[in-house]
C-alpha cells in the first residue's frame, strides 16, 4: 500500500514529536484482534464492534 505524499519536513517533525510512528492501523490492530477477537472494541448507543469485526472493516476499507 502506498503512503500518501506529505511534506517531508513536517513528517520528520511529527515523528520527532511522537505524533506519528512508523506503524499503520492494520498493523496496530492485528495483535489486538488476535488476542481478543470477540471482546468489545468500539461501542455506541445501539451498537458496537468487536476487535475482530473492527479488523475486518479496516482491512476491507484498506483493500478498497
Amino acid at each position: 500500500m502506498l503512503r500518501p505524499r506529505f511534506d517531508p519536513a513536517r513528517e520528520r517533525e511529527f515523528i520527532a514529536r511522537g505524533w506519528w510512528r512508523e506503524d499503520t492501523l492494520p498493523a496496530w490492530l492485528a495483535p489486538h484482534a488476535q488476542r481478543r477477537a470477540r471482546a468489545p472494541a468500539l461501542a455506541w448507543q445501539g451498537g458496537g464492534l468487536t476487535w475482530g469485526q473492527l479488523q475486518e472493516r479496516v482491512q476491507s476499507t484498506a483493500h478498497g
Side-chain angles (χ1 to χ4, degrees), residues 3 11 14-15 18-24 28:
R3 290 177 52 189
E11 184 174 338
F14 290 179
I15 291 169
W19 296 343
W20 283 7
R21 296 189 306 191
E22 292 296 322
D23 57 359
T24 63
W28 175 85

Side-chain angles (χ1 to χ4, degrees), residues 21-37:
R21 296 189 306 191
E22 292 296 322
D23 57 359
T24 63
L25 180 57
W28 175 85
L29 184 58
H32 293 282
Q34 185 178 31
R35 285 194 300 263
R36 47 181 154 326

Side-chain angles (χ1 to χ4, degrees), residues 2-56:
L2 296 175
R3 290 177 52 189
R5 301 195 92 200
F6 197 78
D7 177 44
R10 295 199 77 193
E11 184 174 338
R12 286 190 300 274
E13 176 190 353
F14 290 179
I15 291 169
R17 291 176 181 244
W19 296 343
W20 283 7
R21 296 189 306 191
E22 292 296 322
D23 57 359
T24 63
L25 180 57
W28 175 85
L29 184 58
H32 293 282
Q34 185 178 31
R35 285 194 300 263
R36 47 181 154 326
R38 295 184 179 172
L42 298 172
W44 59 87
Q45 187 174 355
L49 293 173
T50 65
W51 285 99
Q53 291 168 325
L54 179 59
Q55 182 182 36
E56 287 176 15

